[in-house]
Amino acid sequence: MKLHAMEFIPFGKTHTLQKTPIILFLLGTFALLLLTIIPLCYPLLGYPLYQNFSKSPPSSSLGSKDDHVLLATKCDIFSGEWVPNPEAPYYTNTTCWAIHEHQNCMKYGRSDTEFMKWRWKPDECELPVFDPAEFLEIVRGKSMAFVGDSVGRNQMQALICLLSRVEYPIDVSYTPDEQFKRWRYPSYNFTMATFWSPYLVKEEEADANGPTHTGLFNLYLDQFNEEWTTQIEEFNYLIINAGHWFFRPCVYYENHQIVGCRYCLRDNVTDLPMSYGYRKAFRTAFRAINSLENFKGITFLRTFAPSHYENGEWDQGGDCLRTRPFRTNETKLEGINLELYVTQLEEFKIAEMEGKKRGLKFRLLDTTQAMLLRPDGHPSRYGHWPHENVTLHNDCVHWCLPGPIDTWSDFLLEMLKMEGGGHDESSYQEKFHSSDWKMKLR
């Protein structure tokens, strides 16, 4: 997929400009138009991410809780910076049993603790720190499903840890398979479930080794993955994600025929860009959701969270050793990360429009900018003991717990509050800037 921020037709050698007032006026008008449009294309040109189109008074003027709600409706909570938070973290690896071993950074010897002591500060308002009691009251009698890869599971485990200050869930899983877990909070009749589907569509492992020793997968890009699509109709909230598995070698199938692949190294099979399979997978996943007769829930797309390998790829000595967040002017979304992000936005927009016809809601849980700025939040070598033989020796994909991924729960709670607060669709769009304005990235 090629991204075209703008297309200009340059003046050729056969064109001449006459120095007349009309031409000067036209040039002046064009210059003003250019200065107006360029900021809409800032990721491609090196501008800070996600300019905020609405203004509100500074956070120091916030008064009552009602005042906060009023101001927050005029603020994009996903555009901001990380600021120090000495009160964090709100749980530890000794108080929460839900932390996956590979994200238990403190257990495995990470000595610095500053990466846990930051909070997300939107540009134009305050984002409240996650309140577990408030969250559980909002979801009382409801259910939430996480569909996707291990970063999605990482998110659910962070949420369980944050909620542990109020209550721990009980395991009500239908299967011993750890990839398909269900947890219930008995005091609130709230259920959370995770469905493993790293490609979102039907897939199978064709070769456990493959060209890069990470497996070779057949992806059936136009077929539903029924392991989750047949299970979600009962859920009130659905959070889907996919990303890093698409970097692996894959063979793409459509209509039961091979249409190409990503780095499969097979004769007579066309090598296609990763975004091809990524786009088709999201399109099929969204089509599955919109085709379910009895599904009435809200679908959240959790956007791509970039990895932070430096000085090499994951299998070539790359690592993530920084100990502080970036500022927005110190990095930018670019290359394949930008391509995958824009692909998500485009497919989300299509699904959102289709969903409206059935009265379904689609929401963008846009974690991309916030996580782009957190190279310090990954396990690196602290997800296992030094002597262990693991595939991902330096993990710069997942997130330490506690850590910056806890902020995803801050985002989620704020979005749920808007859903249940009697706000109309226009006020929701204003606060969370649904994909309408972000599509201007193209």
Side-chain angles (χ1 to χ4, degrees), residues 159-195:
L159 179 56
I160 290 174
C161 287
L162 288 166
L163 294 175
S164 67
R165 289 177 288 164
V166 175
E167 182 170 292
Y168 275 112
I170 58 175
D171 190 339
V172 292
S173 303
Y174 297 162
T175 169
D177 190 341
E178 289 295 317
Q179 309 286 25
F180 299 90
K181 299 290 292 184
R182 289 186 184 233
W183 304 98
R184 183 170 173 269
Y185 290 80
S187 299
Y188 296 86
N189 190 25
F190 170 58
T191 300
M192 278 197 297
T194 180
F195 296 91

Side-chain angles (χ1 to χ4, degrees), residues 20-190:
T20 65
I22 294 177
I23 294 295
L24 290 175
F25 173 78
L26 291 174
L27 285 174
T29 303
F30 179 79
L32 289 172
L33 180 61
L34 179 63
L35 290 172
T36 301
I37 295 175
I38 279 180
L40 301 180
C41 314
Y42 50 84
L44 304 181
L45 302 176
Y47 283 75
L49 293 169
Y50 316 134
Q51 288 192 14
N52 214 321
F53 296 132
S54 56
K55 301 293 182 182
S56 63
S59 59
S60 59
S61 66
L62 292 175
S64 68
K65 184 175 181 180
D66 291 339
D67 290 338
H68 161 70
V69 172
L70 177 63
L71 295 177
T73 59
K74 301 178 181 180
C75 170
D76 175 9
I77 64 171
F78 304 119
S79 177
E81 299 275 4
W82 291 94
V83 298
N85 180 21
E87 296 181 8
Y90 299 96
Y91 62 90
T92 71
N93 66 310
T94 60
T95 64
C96 181
W97 50 257
I99 300 175
H100 193 283
E101 284 294 286
H102 296 323
Q103 285 96 59
N104 197 341
C105 303
M106 306 313 291
K107 173 181 176 178
Y108 290 104
R110 181 163 179 172
S111 58
D112 66 297
T113 60
E114 291 304 306
F115 73 93
M116 298 184 287
K117 298 182 178 297
W118 298 85
R119 66 177 179 86
W120 182 248
K121 170 66 176 68
D123 291 328
E124 302 292 341
C125 62
E126 292 290 335
L127 177 64
V129 171
F130 184 80
D131 182 334
E134 183 178 22
F135 179 91
L136 286 169
E137 283 298 336
I138 288 174
V139 298
R140 182 184 289 276
K142 298 179 180 179
S143 55
M144 179 177 290
F146 293 81
V147 175
D149 58 22
S150 54
V151 179
R153 183 181 63 210
N154 201 174
Q155 177 186 7
M156 187 187 76
Q157 290 166 342
L159 179 56
I160 290 174
C161 287
L162 288 166
L163 294 175
S164 67
R165 289 177 288 164
V166 175
E167 182 170 292
Y168 275 112
I170 58 175
D171 190 339
V172 292
S173 303
Y174 297 162
T175 169
D177 190 341
E178 289 295 317
Q179 309 286 25
F180 299 90
K181 299 290 292 184
R182 289 186 184 233
W183 304 98
R184 183 170 173 269
Y185 290 80
S187 299
Y188 296 86
N189 190 25
F190 170 58

